[in-house]
């Protein structure tokens, strides 16, 4: 019986990954709150540039599909307008 209890305890300490979730942090600047995003980077340093004619939604979905989730099932993306990002740095 002790063996079974140990196995159950080991299983309980390993949690199943959460349902996958994508969090997009959209960086905006005063006066440019509606500027369309054209650059996305993830928490691992990967970067994407929006293609000509690509909608924001398609662009965000593309970046999310190419990003790996962390161990808790979360994909973290940072979306910006590259022109404004460079102008402010």
């Amino acid at each position: 019986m002790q063996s079974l209890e140990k196995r159950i305890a080991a299983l309980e300490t390993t949690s199943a990954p959460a349902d996958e979730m994508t969090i997009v942090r959209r960086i905006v600047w005063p006066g440019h709150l509606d500027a369309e995003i054209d650059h996305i980077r993830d928490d691992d340093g990967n970067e994407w540039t929006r293609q000509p004619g690509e909608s924001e939604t398609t662009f965000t979905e593309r970046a999310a599909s190419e990003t790996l989730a962390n161990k808790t099932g979360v994909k973290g993306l940072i979306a910006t307008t590259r022109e404004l990002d460079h102008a402010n740095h």
Side-chain angles (χ1 to χ4, degrees):
M1 201 58 147
Q2 232 176 13
S3 176
L4 181 58
E5 289 174 5
K6 286 180 183 177
R7 290 172 59 195
I8 290 172
L11 286 172
E12 289 175 342
T13 60
T14 9
S15 60
D19 290 338
E20 197 170 276
M21 177 190 324
T22 302
I23 297 174
V24 180
R25 293 168 282 190
R26 186 181 181 121
I27 308 302
V28 296
W29 289 267
H32 302 281
L33 300 180
D34 294 329
E36 293 203 12
I37 61 165
D38 60 5
H39 183 258
I40 294 177
R41 66 182 185 274
D42 67 11
D43 292 337
D44 292 327
N46 299 307
E47 297 187 20
W48 294 265
T49 302
R50 189 169 164 188
Q51 301 299 314
E54 187 174 36
S55 72
E56 269 193 36
T57 301
T58 302
F59 174 47
T60 304
E61 288 171 354
R62 177 169 59 93
S65 73
E66 296 174 11
T67 301
L68 297 175
N70 65 19
K71 65 182 178 180
T72 61
V74 176
K75 295 179 178 185
L77 300 175
I78 300 170
T80 62
T81 300
R82 198 164 197 56
E83 182 180 321
L84 291 173
D85 190 28
H86 285 302
N88 288 310
H89 287 101

